[in-house]
C-alpha cells in the first residue's frame, strides 16, 4: 500500500519532468540520451538525479541514438610475420607497368559496406585495375589484379612476389 502511495505522489512531478525531457530530446532531433539530457536539465537549473531521468525516459520509451563502434576488418594471426617491403619504399617508376601498388578500402552505402580494391601504376599514377564487392576476401584483390593484367601494359616482372 505504501508503495502505491509513493508512486502516485511521484506521478505528477514525473510527468512534468517527462515534459522537460521530451522538449530537450526533440530539440536534439531525438539524438540525446540520458547523460546529455541530464546535463541540459542541469544547465536549465533543474536539480534532478541522473537515475531518475533514466527511469522516466525508460518508462516513456525515450532513448538517444547510440553510435556503434567501428570494427576493424583485419584480424592478424598470433604469430603473423610482417609482409616484406617489395618496392623498398621507392614509390617511383620510370616506365608504365613496372611497379604497381594496391589498396583495399570500404565505403558505407545505404545497402551496407562496399569494398573496393584498387591497383595503382606508380609511373602514371593511374588506377589500372579495380574491383568492388560486398566482401573483403582475397578474390576481390585478385579480380582487381586480373583487370590490371588484362590491360596488357604490365611488364613481366611487375607481378613478381619477391625480388
Amino acid at each position: 500500500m505504501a508503495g502505491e502511495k509513493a508512486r502516485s505522489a511521484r506521478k505528477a512531478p514525473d510527468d512534468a519532468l517527462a515534459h522537460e525531457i521530451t522538449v530537450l530530446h526533440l530539440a536534439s532531433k531525438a539524438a540525446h540520451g540520458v547523460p546529455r539530457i541530464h546535463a541540459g536539465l542541469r544547465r536549465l537549473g533543474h536539480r534532478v538525479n541522473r537515475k531518475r531521468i533514466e527511469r522516466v525516459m525508460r518508462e516513456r520509451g525515450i532513448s538517444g541514438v547510440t553510435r556503434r563502434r567501428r570494427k576493424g576488418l583485419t584480424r592478424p594471426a598470433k604469430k603473423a610475420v610482417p609482409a616484406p617491403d617489395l618496392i623498398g619504399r621507392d614509390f617511383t617508376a620510370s616506365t608504365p607497368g613496372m611497379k604497381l601498388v594496391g589498396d583495399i578500402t570500404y565505403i558505407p552505402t545505404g545497402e551496407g559496406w562496399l569494398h573496393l580494391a584498387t591497383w595503382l601504376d606508380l609511373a602514371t599514377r593511374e588506377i589500372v585495375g579495380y574491383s568492388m564487392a560486398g566482401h573483403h576476401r582475397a578474390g576481390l584483390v585478385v579480380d582487381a589484379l586480373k583487370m590490371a593484367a588484362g590491360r596488357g601494359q604490365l611488364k613481366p616482372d611487375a607481378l613478381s612476389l619477391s625480388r
Side-chain angles (χ1 to χ4, degrees):
M1 213 48 156
E4 287 181 32
K5 278 184 170 181
R7 277 191 291 275
S8 64
R10 199 172 51 200
K11 184 163 176 31
D14 279 356
D15 288 341
L17 179 61
H19 176 70
E20 293 286 331
I21 289 172
T22 303
V23 168
L24 287 174
H25 189 66
L26 292 176
S28 73
K29 297 181 183 169
H32 289 178
V34 174
R36 289 188 176 176
I37 295 291
H38 182 246
L41 289 170
R42 296 280 307 244
R43 275 193 299 276
L44 293 173
H46 297 281
R47 292 180 49 111
V48 174
N49 189 322
R50 185 178 181 275
K51 290 182 180 181
R52 182 175 175 206
I53 294 169
E54 185 176 345
R55 178 182 53 79
V56 169
M57 287 179 70
R58 184 178 57 248
E59 287 173 353
R60 286 161 176 81
I62 303 169
S63 63
V65 175
T66 56
R67 291 191 181 123
R68 293 184 185 168
R69 292 190 86 172
R70 282 188 157 178
K71 292 182 181 179
L73 295 176
T74 55
R75 304 282 189 275
K78 301 284 186 211
K79 297 179 181 178
V81 178
D85 183 3
L86 299 178
I87 61 171
R89 307 297 298 166
D90 179 18
F91 297 104
T92 60
S94 56
T95 60
M98 200 61 184
K99 284 186 189 176
L100 301 180
V101 291
D103 189 24
I104 186 168
T105 189
Y106 49 100
I107 304 157
T109 67
E111 297 178 9
W113 292 101
L114 174 69
H115 300 272
L116 172 67
T118 56
W119 286 97
L120 175 82
D121 189 327
L122 290 177
T124 61
R125 302 290 188 203
E126 141 185 345
I127 299 293
V128 293
Y130 66 91
S131 179
M132 297 176 278
H135 60 81
H136 66 284
R137 293 187 286 271
L140 178 69
V141 178
V142 171
D143 289 344
L145 192 54
K146 284 180 183 176
M147 179 188 220
R151 295 183 65 185
Q153 297 177 347
L154 297 183
K155 303 292 186 234
D157 61 341
L159 298 179
S160 67
L161 298 177
S162 62
R163 295 225 164 163

